[in-house]
Amino acid sequence: MRDKGEFLFTSESVSEGHPDKVADRVSDTVLDTFLAADPYARVACETLVTTNRVVLAGETRGPDTITPELLAHEARMALHDIGYDQEGFSWKHAQIHVHLHAQSADIAQGVDAAGNKDEGAGDQGIMFGYACRETPMLMPAPLYYAHLILRRMSEMRRNRDVLAQGLLPDAKSQVTLRYVDGKPVAATSVVVSTQHEERLSQEQVREQVLPIIESSLPHGWMPPAGEIYVNPTGKFVIGGPDGDCGLTGRKIIVDTYGGAAPHGGGAFSGKDPTKVDRSAAYACRYLAKNVVAAGLADRCTLQLSYAIGVAHPLSLYVDLHGNPYDVSEQKLERTLRELVNLSPRGIREHLHLNRPIYAVTSAYGHFGREPDEERGTFSWERTDLVPALRSAFNR
């Protein structure tokens, strides 16, 4: 994203009832079920959802108490929590097929610690983290507000708020912001498409959604009425997995930074924390957020890379985007390596990732969320490295 001039930038979000997010939720529910029974279980679960059918496939290693019947039940409860009880997709009578099998021994021997060998990365790959000063959570503003609109719609639907009566779980949002010299100043357009009951007209849905949009954006940021598009096709009754097939891992830009920063390519949901696709991406966000929170940069992009079976990262790269505070990026890279052990084991232990904390990450972004010390969720959003970073750079 440019630092100078005037430009528009757009990000989208999708709700927990979007078909791909239903699949992500089920995959992370499977992961949480295994980690609740064994913190060191291995899980790589993919989910497909379609009309009244859910299919789980992938590889696991865990206790025998985790049976296909238990996983089918937990998946069904996830559908219930999302709110699906429609003719074409219902938590009560959807068929759930479990096709999970043992993890490959070839992969396991590369990952497992043995003798003098530390635990290796679960795969090769590159992971990115990003943080900026555009919002209180140090996230890109277009994605932050796109998520916020849908989170408020979901909360109101669950609380049976009058503004959400007749709205159903599947929804999408898209927010376009105008930037001046690298800073967001207003929304130029907003798109919200939400599944609804047959009895509601397009105009009724618009009247319900408009106040939610306005309450989610900063004061004075509402775009002109003609640039607010609510259910632009006119009708959205058939939705969720009944309207469109959903798969785990298809919303990776929604999950991260809305296109404002690079993405390594790997999806998160359904993967245990030995998979650096997930854990190292969390570590990258953690480090980048602490750099910005410490006042060392207005924006920070950070990359890590790994090889399968190898414990240490092959590279760590930091970009401070013009570096207005004259911080040595090379010294910062060394300092970050000293502050956090970036091996798969080191990341898991530092961020306490071997816990059943993942179902809540499956919608509205893995980043920019409030850490919850009691539940252990979103530990990678802490800013506890700030004192050490400020000390290292005499700030």
Side-chain angles (χ1 to χ4, degrees):
M1 192 180 297
R2 299 196 296 265
D3 292 323
K4 301 296 182 181
E6 184 172 332
F7 59 91
L8 304 181
F9 195 85
T10 304
S11 295
E12 70 160 346
S13 179
V14 297
S15 73
E16 76 249 48
H18 184 282
D20 294 331
K21 283 289 138 198
V22 174
D24 285 345
R25 170 65 182 274
V26 171
S27 290
D28 275 335
T29 296
V30 169
L31 172 60
D32 282 351
T33 302
F34 272 92
L35 292 179
D38 177 2
Y40 300 99
R42 299 280 172 78
V43 178
C45 176
E46 311 292 343
T47 301
L48 176 149
V49 293
T50 186
T51 301
N52 273 328
R53 184 159 301 192
V54 178
V55 180
L56 310 182
E59 301 78 45
T60 66
R61 188 175 76 185
D64 294 338
T65 54
I66 308 299
T67 63
E69 293 75 19
L70 174 61
L71 294 176
H73 170 76
E74 295 297 334
R76 197 176 297 281
M77 291 301 98
L79 305 184
H80 177 267
D81 183 66
I82 293 169
Y84 272 115
D85 189 14
Q86 303 163 17
E87 182 178 353
F89 194 74
S90 171
W91 70 274
K92 295 176 181 176
H93 49 75
Q95 298 180 50
I96 300 179
H97 308 271
V98 180
H99 301 287
L100 295 164
H101 58 82
Q103 183 187 49
S104 161
D106 291 346
I107 294 176
Q109 71 177 354
V111 176
D112 291 343
N116 293 325
K117 176 185 174 297
D118 196 3
E119 178 182 298
D123 201 353
Q124 71 174 48
I126 58 174
M127 299 84 205
F128 286 93
Y130 182 71
C132 62
R133 295 194 183 280
E134 295 179 14
T135 62
M137 295 304 295
L138 305 184
M139 287 289 288
L143 181 67
Y144 178 85
Y145 294 114
H147 281 326
L148 187 56
I149 291 167
L150 293 187
R151 288 184 70 183
R152 287 190 171 170
M153 286 176 57
S154 173
E155 290 165 1
M156 295 168 79
R157 176 177 61 84
R158 290 170 176 270
N159 293 332
R160 303 183 185 278
D161 189 284
V162 64
L163 286 179
Q165 288 184 0
L167 302 186
L168 298 175
D170 192 1
K172 301 178 76 171
S173 66
Q174 185 171 283
V175 173
T176 300
L177 299 185
R178 180 165 62 93
Y179 281 74
V180 177
D181 291 335
K183 297 181 180 180
V185 298
T188 61
S189 66
V190 174
V191 183
V192 174
S193 297
T194 178
Q195 186 187 15
H196 59 89
E197 294 177 358
E198 182 80 52
R199 62 182 176 83
L200 293 180
S201 67
Q202 183 185 23
E203 186 56 37
Q204 287 174 310
V205 174
R206 182 181 178 88
E207 289 176 359
Q208 291 177 236
V209 170
L210 280 178
I212 301 174
I213 296 173
E214 186 167 17
S215 68
S216 301
L217 296 175
H219 179 70
W221 277 34
M222 276 288 278
E227 294 297 328
I228 301 174
Y229 304 91
V230 177
N231 283 14
T233 62
K235 185 178 181 180
F236 188 4
V237 174
I238 300 172
D242 187 31
D244 193 11
C245 178
L247 294 170
T248 301
R250 285 207 301 197
K251 288 293 177 284
I252 58 177
I253 300 302
V254 171
D255 285 343
T256 54
Y257 307 103
H263 194 291
F268 302 155
S269 289
K271 297 178 181 178
D272 74 75
T274 67
K275 279 73 171 176
V276 284
D277 277 349
R278 183 171 216 158
S279 56
Y282 290 176
C284 286
R285 163 63 179 175
Y286 174 62
L287 296 179
K289 183 176 182 181
N290 275 270
V291 167
V292 173
L296 304 183
D298 292 330
R299 290 200 291 146
C300 177
T301 299
L302 191 145
Q303 185 204 57
L304 286 169
S305 69
Y306 292 85
I308 188 169
V310 178
H312 63 273
L314 305 184
S315 64
L316 167 62
Y317 165 80
V318 175
D319 182 358
L320 300 182
H321 299 275
N323 199 359
Y325 302 101
D326 194 28
V327 171
S328 168
E329 290 165 331
Q330 291 74 25
K331 179 181 177 181
L332 181 56
E333 290 165 359
R334 294 193 301 271
T335 302
L336 293 173
R337 281 182 179 267
E338 292 167 0
L339 291 176
V340 180
N341 177 355
L342 294 172
S343 69
R345 183 200 300 273
I347 293 170
R348 287 192 297 103
E349 292 178 351
H350 190 96
L351 297 179
H352 308 292
L353 298 181
N354 286 104
R355 296 181 287 183
I357 57 174
Y358 296 102
V360 70
T361 70
S362 61
Y364 311 116
H366 292 246
F367 308 129
R369 311 282 289 273
E370 289 286 351
D372 187 327
E373 296 296 332
E374 183 176 343
R375 297 175 61 192
T377 53
F378 301 104
S379 59
W380 49 94
E381 292 294 319
R382 301 190 317 246
T383 53
D384 53 323
L385 297 181
V386 165
L389 285 169
R390 287 177 174 166
S391 176
F393 289 87
N394 299 315
R395 302 299 165 111

